[in-house]
Amino acid sequence: MALNLRQKQTECIIRMLNLNQPVNPTGTANEEVYKILIYDKFCQSILSPVIHVKDLRKHGVTLYFLIDKDRKPINDVPAVYFVQPNQSNIQRIVADASRSLYDSFYLNFSSSIPRPLLEDLASGALNSDSIHRISKIHDQYLEFVTLEDNLFSLSQKSTYLQLNDPSAGDKEIEDIIERVVSGLFCVLATLAVVPIIRCPRGGPAEMVASALDQKLRDHLLSKNNLFSEGGSFASSFQRPILCIFDRNFELSAAIQHDFRYHPLVHDILGLKLNRLTVPGEKGGMKSYELDSSDPFWTANGSLEFPEVAVEIETQLNTYKKDVDEVNRRTGGNAGAEFDGTDLIGNTKHLMNAVNSLPELTERKQVIDKHTNIATVLLGQIKERSLDAYVKKENDMMDRGGIDRNELLAVLKGKGTKMDKLRFAITYIISSETINPAEAEAVEAALVESEVDASAFQYVKKIKSLNVSLASANPASRNNIVDWAEKLYGQSISAVTAGVKNLLSSDRQLALTRTVEALMEGKPNPEIDSYLVFDPRAPKSSSGSSSSHLKGPFKEAIVFMIGGGNYVEYGSLQDLARHQQPVKHVIYGTTEILTGMEFVEQLSQLGNKMGLGNSVATSSATH
């Protein structure tokens, strides 16, 4: 059975809303209890993409509040709390219980509550004589946001910036790695699978893989563990492979412009938690939900924008034909003599027409929604020449460079400051060697357009470091590595994936090709050096490759540390669909970022290293 993260997470949330009672096949509890839901900001973002207001009512939730809002007492009603296990939430729960705000408290924490906090909760409830109000405490292991069936985010902000910050100490790096591991553990616990873990050597990917392996091993030692998989003898093809990468593995995918529907809507219009607000056709703002309940969004997300426009037109014409057909059938035959059989036939047509109305109305709403979104997108594409950016960036990545005049023409042409900055960074990544005169001309063009060039300079610095690293002799290479690791934290392996030999002619991302090779499990020089961790195997075999761990795998979970995007998600889904037999790939990341949001993190890193010009970073966004 294919792993469906969204379905599994929704089932856990529904069980939680029903006071952790078993739920019957209709998805409701056997005994309906009216209750109140209290959540914090983070857990609101977990609930938002998977549970709608009507679903809350269906499960007996009559009122819902943020935990930090002032609330009035409500008698004889249980309250379901869904919050992160932190000090401020524990204090608030104790305060609520001591004021007897609700009849009983069902406490659900998004991840495992640490022992000291549990003790604080117990002593606080005892001291305020409210311990009898706390009915149940559950660790839910739900600390991740599921946006689609195969897409999740840990919603951990600025991970790339924190991991690559030159001033970050060992303790800070360890804390970030621990948070990422905790989030990934929640995902695996929800899916109830213990995967085979693969990752490149070095950097955050290995740190996370190693720590996750240890956490799973420790957990599997306990009798009542969260993994219902059949023992340590479960054959390898039943277990998924978890491929962990660091954002530096392929920097270009986080920065380039893309012309497919999903990435465009996210990057240009700012899709957040499956919600979007755009100007309406008749003025004012329109808010839309874009998720698996929208058939057009699901079916056409990977199409290029012009194909999406054609598809909208096609669906509109089909809809008009269907409406005309209903009108024709229910209109009767003009001038025909009336008889009883016609009445029966006509009544049948009328009933069919009435039954088809809701479906037709729904189709029209979907068409209108995407017509409006496409119109707004088209305005942005024309205004900023986004199609030209996409074409030239792809050409650069394919050819490993661009004509100097063409390069400078783009930087002096249409587009926002951020578009130009992203283009300039893509140029640096795509060049096999950096031409100093050309790089200076690019920088001058950026400054002329009042763009903060610190992100450009940061990537240029790392790129030149990699070049010198590749050409240095072993003795001096060690010195460069020592110096670089002091200066750049984990980013020593950065930007090498931009070189064109990592991109095949059909524009497949390096990430996608690597995941394909890892799932196939055949000998391949690109992945032979990758580490292998099997949390179910004896410790001695960990980190080395072993024949039964090599696949082939039907299912994969791909995780990107430091920010992911819809470009990589779409590419991996295409890979899964086109495999024979069809494979299944879940894509997750520390946070979903637009190109602009990621470049802003690069800018901050540049500023921390004293790079860039005096123009404020914020100006790059305009």
Side-chain angles (χ1 to χ4, degrees):
M1 194 193 95
L3 302 173
N4 188 327
L5 188 58
R6 187 186 173 94
Q7 183 190 330
K8 294 268 191 187
Q9 191 184 38
T10 308
E11 284 168 5
C12 292
I13 289 168
I14 287 169
R15 193 168 60 243
M16 176 185 80
L17 293 176
N18 287 295
L19 310 181
N20 291 293
Q21 301 296 321
V23 176
N24 60 35
T26 59
T28 53
N30 295 322
E31 182 190 353
E32 187 158 21
V33 178
Y34 291 105
K35 60 200 84 82
I36 286 165
L37 175 64
I38 312 292
Y39 45 69
D40 60 11
K41 271 273 193 299
F42 186 87
C43 291
Q44 183 180 25
S45 67
I46 295 173
L47 293 170
S48 170
V50 290
I51 294 278
H52 298 113
V53 172
K54 65 177 188 296
D55 299 323
L56 289 176
R57 296 208 178 101
K58 179 180 161 188
H59 298 294
V61 175
T62 51
L63 293 167
Y64 45 93
F65 303 102
L66 277 165
I67 192 167
D68 51 9
K69 291 277 186 290
D70 285 330
R71 288 166 274 120
K72 293 188 170 62
I74 301 173
N75 299 326
D76 305 326
V77 174
V80 174
Y81 280 72
F82 181 39
V83 293
Q84 281 189 295
N86 58 39
Q87 194 67 52
S88 63
N89 284 338
I90 296 296
Q91 287 169 353
R92 194 70 200 229
I93 290 166
V94 169
D96 290 352
S98 64
R99 288 173 55 211
S100 305
L101 280 191
Y102 312 113
D103 187 47
S104 52
F105 289 63
Y106 291 80
L107 307 180
N108 299 275
F109 295 104
S110 56
S111 62
S112 181
I113 181 170
R115 183 92 194 170
L117 286 180
L118 197 57
E119 287 168 1
D120 289 352
L121 174 64
S123 59
L126 269 173
N127 295 340
S128 61
D129 195 24
S130 55
I131 196 96
H132 62 286
R133 296 202 175 275
I134 295 176
S135 300
K136 286 273 170 67
I137 299 174
H138 284 268
D139 292 336
Q140 290 292 356
Y141 296 100
L142 291 172
E143 202 153 281
F144 58 93
V145 177
T146 311
L147 298 167
E148 298 194 12
D149 290 351
N150 303 319
L151 176 65
F152 72 90
S153 159
L154 301 185
S155 275
Q156 296 179 2
K157 301 273 181 283
S158 303
T159 309
Y160 184 84
L161 172 64
Q162 292 161 6
L163 283 172
N164 293 282
D165 186 342
S167 63
D170 288 351
K171 178 77 177 80
E172 286 136 298
I173 299 289
E174 280 165 23
D175 288 348
I176 297 160
I177 297 297
E178 197 179 315
R179 278 207 307 276
V180 173
V181 168
S182 171
L184 271 175
F185 182 85
C186 288
V187 171
L188 298 175
T190 302
L191 289 169
V193 292
V194 179
I196 307 290
I197 305 168
R198 300 290 308 262
C199 70
R201 289 177 187 275
E206 184 181 343
M207 291 163 85
V208 167
S210 175
L212 180 61
D213 174 58
Q214 192 55 52
K215 190 177 176 85
L216 286 165
R217 283 172 184 281
D218 294 345
H219 183 75
L220 288 168
L221 290 173
S222 62
K223 279 208 168 63
N224 301 327
N225 70 60
L226 296 158
F227 301 97
S228 55
E229 217 178 41
S232 58
F233 298 105
S235 50
S236 63
F237 67 85
Q238 290 174 321
R239 292 169 66 187
I241 182 172
L242 168 61
C243 314
I244 302 177
F245 298 92
D246 165 31
R247 182 67 272 164
N248 287 329
F249 174 79
E250 189 171 25
L251 213 54
S252 55
I255 295 163
Q256 276 183 263
H257 292 84
D258 198 276
F259 217 45
R260 281 164 295 193
Y261 196 40
H262 271 184
L264 260 181
V265 170
H266 174 242
D267 194 31
I268 307 304
L269 303 181
L271 179 70
K272 275 268 186 298
L273 295 174
N274 294 345
R275 286 192 171 82
L276 186 68
T277 304
V278 293
E281 288 171 26
K282 298 168 183 161
M285 299 302 282
K286 279 262 193 191
S287 283
Y288 297 120
E289 284 210 15
L290 294 169
D291 56 22
S292 53
S293 65
D294 180 334
F296 189 93
W297 177 249
T298 311
N300 302 296
S302 59
L303 294 183
E304 300 251 322
F305 181 72
E307 296 171 292
V308 173
V310 170
E311 185 57 30
I312 292 172
E313 190 69 29
T314 307
Q315 292 205 14
L316 184 59
N317 291 335
T318 310
Y319 164 79
K320 283 177 178 169
K321 268 190 203 150
D322 291 350
V323 171
D324 289 345
E325 179 65 14
V326 169
N327 288 339
R328 188 182 64 73
R329 288 187 168 210
T330 55
N333 296 330
E337 219 173 287
F338 177 81
D339 66 17
T341 53
D342 197 32
L343 175 65
I344 293 164
N346 231 14
T347 308
K348 205 185 219 171
H349 288 321
L350 273 171
M351 284 171 70
N352 286 341
V354 168
N355 290 337
S356 66
L357 275 177
E359 190 257 344
L360 283 171
T361 309
E362 203 171 298
R363 270 167 62 192
K364 183 70 166 72
Q365 284 171 346
V366 170
I367 292 165
D368 286 349
K369 167 163 81 172
H370 289 281
T371 303
N372 191 21
I373 291 170
T375 307
V376 177
L377 273 178
L378 185 62
Q380 289 287 314
I381 290 166
K382 283 182 173 170
E383 190 184 317
R384 292 159 60 178
S385 280
L386 292 174
D387 48 340
Y389 276 99
V390 171
K391 186 178 183 318
K392 288 192 169 70
E393 285 170 0
N394 283 343
D395 287 350
M396 277 196 291
M397 295 303 289
D398 278 342
R399 297 203 307 256
I402 186 172
D403 175 69
R404 183 172 174 164
N405 294 334
E406 207 178 335
L407 174 68
L408 296 175
V410 172
L411 294 173
K412 289 173 182 174
K414 283 183 177 179
T416 63
K417 293 175 183 180
M418 184 54 83
D419 290 331
K420 292 173 183 180
L421 182 55
R422 286 166 68 180
F423 184 77
I425 296 171
T426 306
Y427 149 74
I428 278 288
I429 293 172
S430 69
S431 309
E432 286 190 42
T433 53
I434 298 170
N435 176 332
E438 212 167 79
E440 272 176 37
V442 169
E443 220 163 300
L446 289 175
V447 173
E448 197 180 308
S449 299
E450 296 184 339
V451 178
D452 175 7
S454 49
F456 174 80
Q457 290 180 335
Y458 175 74
V459 175
K460 187 177 78 172
K461 191 97 173 169
I462 301 174
K463 178 82 177 187
S464 60
L465 197 68
N466 276 305
V467 171
S468 53
L469 194 66
S471 59
N473 63 48
S476 63
R477 184 178 296 164
N478 287 343
N479 294 339
I480 295 173
V481 171
D482 290 346
W483 171 76
E485 285 188 339
K486 276 196 208 90
L487 194 57
Y488 295 109
Q490 295 301 321
S491 65
I492 183 65
S493 64
V495 200
T496 49
V499 180
K500 68 173 179 182
N501 64 3
L502 267 180
L503 286 154
S504 50
S505 56
D506 61 356
R507 295 287 312 134
Q508 194 183 43
L509 296 177
L511 174 74
T512 309
R513 222 178 55 255
T514 307
V515 169
E516 184 176 12
L518 288 166
M519 287 183 83
E520 275 178 4
K522 292 174 184 162
N524 184 324
E526 271 191 41
I527 58 160
D528 286 346
S529 65
Y530 276 45
L531 296 171
V532 184
F533 296 90
D534 180 4
R536 287 196 182 278
K539 185 75 176 161
S540 58
S541 66
S542 227
S544 61
S545 57
S546 173
S547 58
H548 82 283
L549 305 179
K550 288 196 169 174
F553 295 92
K554 291 179 184 172
E555 299 175 320
I557 302 162
V558 179
F559 187 75
M560 181 60 76
I561 303 163
N565 49 63
Y566 281 86
V567 177
E568 288 177 334
Y569 171 60
S571 179
L572 289 166
Q573 294 312 304
D574 285 346
L575 167 73
R577 272 196 299 272
H578 295 134
Q579 295 280 312
Q580 284 304 328
V582 172
K583 301 276 177 79
H584 189 80
V585 179
I586 292 175
Y587 174 71
T589 174
T590 42
E591 59 178 328
I592 304 269
L593 294 172
T594 64
M596 181 173 93
E597 289 165 340
F598 182 68
V599 170
E600 280 171 352
Q601 290 192 36
L602 293 177
S603 292
Q604 288 181 56
L605 285 169
N607 290 331
K608 281 174 182 285
M609 287 172 53
L611 304 169
N613 52 34
S614 55
V615 181
T617 309
S618 61
S619 71
T621 63
H622 300 309

Short mmCIF file of all heavy atoms in Angstrom, two decimals, residues 388-415:
data_model
loop_
_atom_site.label_atom_id
_atom_site.label_comp_id
_atom_site.label_asym_id
_atom_site.label_seq_id
_atom_site.Cartn_x
_atom_site.Cartn_y
_atom_site.Cartn_z
N ALA A 388 11.30 35.12 -20.46
CA ALA A 388 12.69 35.31 -20.93
C ALA A 388 13.69 34.87 -19.85
O ALA A 388 14.71 34.24 -20.15
CB ALA A 388 12.92 36.77 -21.29
N TYR A 389 13.38 35.19 -18.58
CA TYR A 389 14.26 34.78 -17.48
C TYR A 389 14.37 33.24 -17.44
O TYR A 389 15.47 32.70 -17.33
CB TYR A 389 13.72 35.28 -16.13
CG TYR A 389 14.11 36.70 -15.80
CD1 TYR A 389 13.23 37.75 -16.02
CD2 TYR A 389 15.36 36.99 -15.26
CE1 TYR A 389 13.57 39.06 -15.71
CE2 TYR A 389 15.72 38.30 -14.95
CZ TYR A 389 14.82 39.33 -15.18
OH TYR A 389 15.18 40.63 -14.88
N VAL A 390 13.21 32.57 -17.55
CA VAL A 390 13.21 31.11 -17.48
C VAL A 390 14.05 30.52 -18.62
O VAL A 390 14.90 29.65 -18.40
CB VAL A 390 11.76 30.57 -17.57
CG1 VAL A 390 11.75 29.04 -17.71
CG2 VAL A 390 10.95 30.98 -16.34
N LYS A 391 13.83 31.02 -19.83
CA LYS A 391 14.54 30.48 -21.00
C LYS A 391 16.05 30.69 -20.87
O LYS A 391 16.84 29.77 -21.06
CB LYS A 391 14.02 31.14 -22.28
CG LYS A 391 14.61 30.51 -23.53
CD LYS A 391 14.07 31.12 -24.80
CE LYS A 391 14.62 30.42 -26.03
NZ LYS A 391 16.05 30.09 -25.99
N LYS A 392 16.44 31.92 -20.51
CA LYS A 392 17.88 32.22 -20.45
C LYS A 392 18.57 31.49 -19.29
O LYS A 392 19.70 31.06 -19.41
CB LYS A 392 18.08 33.73 -20.35
CG LYS A 392 17.77 34.45 -21.67
CD LYS A 392 18.23 35.89 -21.66
CE LYS A 392 18.16 36.51 -23.05
NZ LYS A 392 16.80 36.73 -23.51
N GLU A 393 17.86 31.36 -18.16
CA GLU A 393 18.45 30.62 -17.04
C GLU A 393 18.65 29.14 -17.41
O GLU A 393 19.68 28.55 -17.10
CB GLU A 393 17.56 30.75 -15.79
CG GLU A 393 17.67 32.11 -15.12
CD GLU A 393 16.63 32.36 -14.04
OE1 GLU A 393 15.79 31.47 -13.78
OE2 GLU A 393 16.65 33.46 -13.44
N ASN A 394 17.64 28.56 -18.08
CA ASN A 394 17.78 27.16 -18.51
C ASN A 394 18.92 27.00 -19.51
O ASN A 394 19.69 26.04 -19.43
CB ASN A 394 16.47 26.66 -19.13
CG ASN A 394 15.43 26.35 -18.07
OD1 ASN A 394 15.76 26.21 -16.89
ND2 ASN A 394 14.17 26.26 -18.46
N ASP A 395 19.04 27.96 -20.43
CA ASP A 395 20.14 27.92 -21.41
C ASP A 395 21.49 27.98 -20.71
O ASP A 395 22.42 27.26 -21.05
CB ASP A 395 20.02 29.10 -22.40
CG ASP A 395 18.88 28.89 -23.39
OD1 ASP A 395 18.34 27.76 -23.42
OD2 ASP A 395 18.53 29.84 -24.11
N MET A 396 21.58 28.89 -19.71
CA MET A 396 22.83 29.03 -18.95
C MET A 396 23.20 27.71 -18.27
O MET A 396 24.35 27.28 -18.31
CB MET A 396 22.69 30.11 -17.87
CG MET A 396 22.92 31.51 -18.37
SD MET A 396 23.20 32.67 -17.01
CE MET A 396 21.64 32.77 -16.20
N MET A 397 22.22 27.08 -17.64
CA MET A 397 22.49 25.84 -16.90
C MET A 397 22.88 24.72 -17.87
O MET A 397 23.70 23.88 -17.55
CB MET A 397 21.27 25.42 -16.08
CG MET A 397 20.89 26.38 -14.95
SD MET A 397 22.20 26.72 -13.77
CE MET A 397 22.31 25.18 -12.90
N ASP A 398 22.29 24.73 -19.07
CA ASP A 398 22.61 23.71 -20.08
C ASP A 398 24.01 23.92 -20.67
O ASP A 398 24.79 22.98 -20.83
CB ASP A 398 21.59 23.74 -21.22
CG ASP A 398 20.32 22.99 -20.86
OD1 ASP A 398 20.38 22.18 -19.92
OD2 ASP A 398 19.27 23.22 -21.50
N ARG A 399 24.31 25.18 -21.00
CA ARG A 399 25.55 25.47 -21.74
C ARG A 399 26.72 25.80 -20.82
O ARG A 399 27.86 25.85 -21.27
CB ARG A 399 25.32 26.68 -22.68
CG ARG A 399 24.27 26.44 -23.76
CD ARG A 399 24.49 27.37 -24.94
NE ARG A 399 24.58 28.77 -24.54
CZ ARG A 399 23.61 29.66 -24.71
NH1 ARG A 399 22.48 29.30 -25.27
NH2 ARG A 399 23.78 30.92 -24.35
N GLY A 400 26.43 26.05 -19.55
CA GLY A 400 27.51 26.41 -18.62
C GLY A 400 27.99 27.83 -18.81
O GLY A 400 29.14 28.15 -18.55
N GLY A 401 27.11 28.71 -19.26
CA GLY A 401 27.49 30.12 -19.44
C GLY A 401 26.53 30.83 -20.37
O GLY A 401 25.54 30.25 -20.82
N ILE A 402 26.81 32.12 -20.63
CA ILE A 402 25.93 32.93 -21.47
C ILE A 402 26.77 34.04 -22.10
O ILE A 402 27.78 34.47 -21.52
CB ILE A 402 24.76 33.53 -20.62
CG1 ILE A 402 23.75 34.26 -21.50
CG2 ILE A 402 25.29 34.42 -19.52
CD1 ILE A 402 22.49 34.70 -20.76
N ASP A 403 26.36 34.50 -23.27
CA ASP A 403 27.05 35.61 -23.93
C ASP A 403 26.99 36.85 -23.03
O ASP A 403 25.94 37.17 -22.47
CB ASP A 403 26.37 35.89 -25.28
CG ASP A 403 26.96 37.11 -25.96
OD1 ASP A 403 28.11 37.04 -26.38
OD2 ASP A 403 26.24 38.15 -26.01
N ARG A 404 28.12 37.55 -22.92
CA ARG A 404 28.22 38.68 -21.98
C ARG A 404 27.19 39.77 -22.28
O ARG A 404 26.54 40.30 -21.37
CB ARG A 404 29.63 39.26 -22.05
CG ARG A 404 29.86 40.39 -21.08
CD ARG A 404 31.32 40.78 -21.05
NE ARG A 404 31.53 41.95 -20.24
CZ ARG A 404 32.71 42.33 -19.81
NH1 ARG A 404 33.78 41.62 -20.08
NH2 ARG A 404 32.85 43.42 -19.07
N ASN A 405 27.00 40.10 -23.55
CA ASN A 405 26.04 41.16 -23.92
C ASN A 405 24.61 40.77 -23.55
O ASN A 405 23.83 41.57 -23.05
CB ASN A 405 26.11 41.47 -25.42
CG ASN A 405 27.45 42.09 -25.79
OD1 ASN A 405 28.10 42.71 -24.94
ND2 ASN A 405 27.87 41.91 -27.03
N GLU A 406 24.31 39.48 -23.77
CA GLU A 406 22.97 38.97 -23.44
C GLU A 406 22.75 39.03 -21.93
O GLU A 406 21.68 39.42 -21.44
CB GLU A 406 22.89 37.51 -23.92
CG GLU A 406 21.48 37.06 -24.26
CD GLU A 406 21.45 35.62 -24.77
OE1 GLU A 406 22.48 35.15 -25.30
OE2 GLU A 406 20.41 34.99 -24.62
N LEU A 407 23.78 38.67 -21.20
CA LEU A 407 23.73 38.68 -19.73
C LEU A 407 23.44 40.08 -19.21
O LEU A 407 22.52 40.29 -18.40
CB LEU A 407 25.09 38.17 -19.20
CG LEU A 407 25.35 38.23 -17.70
CD1 LEU A 407 24.46 37.25 -16.97
CD2 LEU A 407 26.81 37.91 -17.39
N LEU A 408 24.19 41.06 -19.69
CA LEU A 408 24.02 42.43 -19.19
C LEU A 408 22.71 43.04 -19.67
O LEU A 408 22.09 43.85 -18.97
CB LEU A 408 25.21 43.30 -19.63
CG LEU A 408 26.57 42.86 -19.05
CD1 LEU A 408 27.71 43.67 -19.63
CD2 LEU A 408 26.57 42.96 -17.52
N ALA A 409 22.24 42.61 -20.85
CA ALA A 409 20.95 43.13 -21.37
C ALA A 409 19.81 42.73 -20.44
O ALA A 409 18.91 43.52 -20.17
CB ALA A 409 20.71 42.60 -22.78
N VAL A 410 19.86 41.49 -19.95
CA VAL A 410 18.81 41.03 -19.02
C VAL A 410 18.84 41.85 -17.74
O VAL A 410 17.81 42.28 -17.22
CB VAL A 410 18.98 39.52 -18.70
CG1 VAL A 410 18.00 39.09 -17.60
CG2 VAL A 410 18.77 38.68 -19.94
N LEU A 411 20.05 42.08 -17.22
CA LEU A 411 20.19 42.81 -15.95
C LEU A 411 19.78 44.28 -16.07
O LEU A 411 19.49 44.92 -15.07
CB LEU A 411 21.63 42.71 -15.44
CG LEU A 411 22.09 41.29 -15.05
CD1 LEU A 411 23.57 41.26 -14.72
CD2 LEU A 411 21.27 40.77 -13.87
N LYS A 412 19.78 44.79 -17.30
CA LYS A 412 19.36 46.20 -17.49
C LYS A 412 17.94 46.29 -18.03
O LYS A 412 17.43 47.39 -18.26
CB LYS A 412 20.35 46.89 -18.44
CG LYS A 412 21.71 47.13 -17.78
CD LYS A 412 22.75 47.66 -18.73
CE LYS A 412 24.09 47.82 -18.00
NZ LYS A 412 25.18 48.21 -18.88
N GLY A 413 17.31 45.13 -18.24
CA GLY A 413 15.97 45.12 -18.85
C GLY A 413 14.86 45.07 -17.82
O GLY A 413 14.99 45.57 -16.70
N LYS A 414 13.74 44.42 -18.22
CA LYS A 414 12.56 44.32 -17.35
C LYS A 414 12.83 43.40 -16.16
O LYS A 414 13.83 42.67 -16.15
CB LYS A 414 11.40 43.73 -18.15
CG LYS A 414 10.71 44.68 -19.11
CD LYS A 414 9.55 43.94 -19.75
CE LYS A 414 8.74 44.80 -20.68
NZ LYS A 414 7.65 44.03 -21.29
N GLY A 415 11.91 43.42 -15.20
CA GLY A 415 12.02 42.53 -14.04
C GLY A 415 12.27 43.30 -12.76
O GLY A 415 12.78 44.42 -12.77
#
